[in-house]
């Protein structure tokens, strides 16, 4: 018996970042959109906890207990007095260390899969609590769709979205560490007042209407200057996507994946082809959103 859960990547259409808090985290106004790039997490009973991973970037995925999928299995087992003796296999399609919540997706996926495998019957609320313990972006991987995250990003309010948005994602040749990008944000913010993070009403209206032009005018990412400072070549990728006709170009989360909003699926394919030919990135993918969060696809 095994259980497989499919979990989406995310793009942040707004990422407003406040000043560093006493605990080192930053208050955010974080508008997440789940997009159709997925990891699959399969859990099978085993003698002891073991993680394996397959997929193009799988050699960069940690297979020890730092992996959020391992931590999710341990957290749920701990609450139920169980031994987390499972083999967790991750079929990876979300870029690693890319700013698209790939590690968070695996944490949420393993949690939902273990819950089903063990018949742990955790409530939605308990699952969300465990996700928030695992990391700031993990609750969103569970719920998917579109949501506003406040606090350090873990307090979620579901958002209405009026249409499917079409995106192109350019993956970079190396990853960026999220803590390093936040540290660079702090360094760049030295000597100036960082305003409280506030969600953009214009952006919420654009999502609700399903209007790609209005969304393009409203997207923003306060971590982008920090990501560009650590990874200056990303400016060339953003420029290539803009000149290929993208409505908006931005760094996804802490990067280094760059995200390009297109008017429709046909336009996304054109932008993707131009970016692929530009020599400014490693690979290019198209994906639409919103899509559902962690979903059991086999073995429930
Ligand atoms: O919550 P998570 O473990 O995913 O966060 C990774 C790192 O990103 C944190 O250790 C912190 O350095 C940074 N972070 C932050 N403020 C947030 C979310 C993350 O500073 N709201």
């Amino acid at each position: 018996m095994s259980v497989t859960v499919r979990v989406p990547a995310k793009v942040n259409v707004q990422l407003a970042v406040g000043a560093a808090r006493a605990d080192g985290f930053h208050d955010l106004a974080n508008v997440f959109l789940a997009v159709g790039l997925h990891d699959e997490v399969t859990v099978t009973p085993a003698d002891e906890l073991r993680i394996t991973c397959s997929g193009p970037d799988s050699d960069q995925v940690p297979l020890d207990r730092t992996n959020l999928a391992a931590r999710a299995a341990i957290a749920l087992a701990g609450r139920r007095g169980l031994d987390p003796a499972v083999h967790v296999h991750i079929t990876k399609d979300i870029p690693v260390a890319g700013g698209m919540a790939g590690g968070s997706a695996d944490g949420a996926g393993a949690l939902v899969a273990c819950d089903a495998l063990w018949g742990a019957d955790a409530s939605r609320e308990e699952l969300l609590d465990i996700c928030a313990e695992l990391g700031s972006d993990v609750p969103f991987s569970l719920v998917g769709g579109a949501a506003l995250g406040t606090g350090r990003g873990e307090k979620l309010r579901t958002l209405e979205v009026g249409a499917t948005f079409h995106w192109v994602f350019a993956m970079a040749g190396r990853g960026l560490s999220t803590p390093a990008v936040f540290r660079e944000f702090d360094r760049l913010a030295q000597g100036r007042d960082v305003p409280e993070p506030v969600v953009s009403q214009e952006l919420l209206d654009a999502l609700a209407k399903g209007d790609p032009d209005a969304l393009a005018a409203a997207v923003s990412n306060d971590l982008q200057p920090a990501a560009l400072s650590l990874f200056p070549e990303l400016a060339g990728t953003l420029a290539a996507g803009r000149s290929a006709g993208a409505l908006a170009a931005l760094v996804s989360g802490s990067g280094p994946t760059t995200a390009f909003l297109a008017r429709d699926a046909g336009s996304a394919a054109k932008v993707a082809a131009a970016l692929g030919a530009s020599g400014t990135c490693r690979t290019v993918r198209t994906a639409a959103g919103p899509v559902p969060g962690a979903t059991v696809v086999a073995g429930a």
Side-chain angles (χ1 to χ4, degrees):
M1 155 81 178
S2 64
V3 177
T4 298
V5 173
R6 201 162 179 256
V7 201
K10 59 86 181 164
V11 60
N12 307 84
V13 287
Q14 183 185 3
L15 184 45
V17 182
R21 311 190 312 203
D23 64 1
F25 282 89
H26 297 71
D27 278 326
L28 305 177
N30 192 353
V31 182
F32 296 100
L33 182 71
V35 294
L37 285 179
H38 294 89
D39 283 358
E40 281 192 0
V41 182
T42 299
V43 298
T44 313
D47 290 340
E48 58 180 5
L49 179 60
R50 189 163 73 90
I51 309 272
T52 55
C53 185
S54 59
D57 291 343
S58 53
D59 55 327
Q60 296 162 53
V61 175
L63 301 179
D64 59 16
R65 291 180 177 219
T66 62
N67 189 304
L68 282 175
R71 290 180 46 208
I74 292 166
L76 181 62
R79 287 182 176 227
R80 292 292 185 279
L82 299 170
D83 181 358
V86 279
H87 171 203
V88 181
H89 182 75
I90 300 165
T91 306
K92 192 144 241 344
D93 199 30
I94 304 174
V96 178
M100 296 191 77
S104 299
D106 301 341
L111 183 63
V112 171
C114 287
D115 180 60
L117 183 73
W118 296 333
D121 215 16
S123 65
R124 191 78 169 164
E125 200 181 10
E126 186 180 16
L127 292 175
L128 283 169
D129 275 354
I130 299 173
C131 286
E133 284 167 18
L134 295 173
S136 307
D137 288 351
V138 185
F140 180 71
S141 298
L142 184 79
V143 303
L148 168 64
T150 52
R152 61 184 168 87
E154 86 288 12
K155 293 181 198 144
L156 295 180
R157 169 158 76 86
T158 300
L159 299 174
E160 292 306 314
V161 181
T164 296
F165 292 101
H166 296 272
W167 294 87
V168 181
F169 296 98
M171 285 64 168
R174 63 180 167 92
L176 267 179
S177 136
T178 302
V181 175
F182 274 102
R183 276 198 302 275
E184 183 67 0
F185 173 88
D186 292 339
R187 195 184 68 80
L188 296 174
Q190 270 167 21
R192 68 177 175 89
D193 272 341
V194 178
E196 290 291 311
V198 179
V199 69
S200 153
Q201 189 57 48
E202 189 193 357
L203 181 112
L204 297 181
D205 293 345
L207 284 175
K209 268 178 74 183
D211 179 340
D213 289 293
L215 183 62
V219 293
S220 67
N221 180 0
D222 288 353
L223 289 182
Q224 183 159 315
L228 287 172
S229 168
L230 297 176
F231 202 146
E233 305 91 304
L234 295 180
T237 320
L238 293 170
R242 276 190 209 101
S243 60
L247 300 177
L250 75 166
V251 169
S252 177
S254 58
T257 302
T258 41
F260 303 88
L261 180 61
R263 188 174 307 284
D264 51 33
S267 165
K270 283 186 198 141
V271 171
L275 271 167
S278 72
T280 63
C281 53
R282 180 169 55 95
T283 43
V284 180
R285 300 285 298 273
T286 56
V291 296
T295 306
V296 175
V297 290

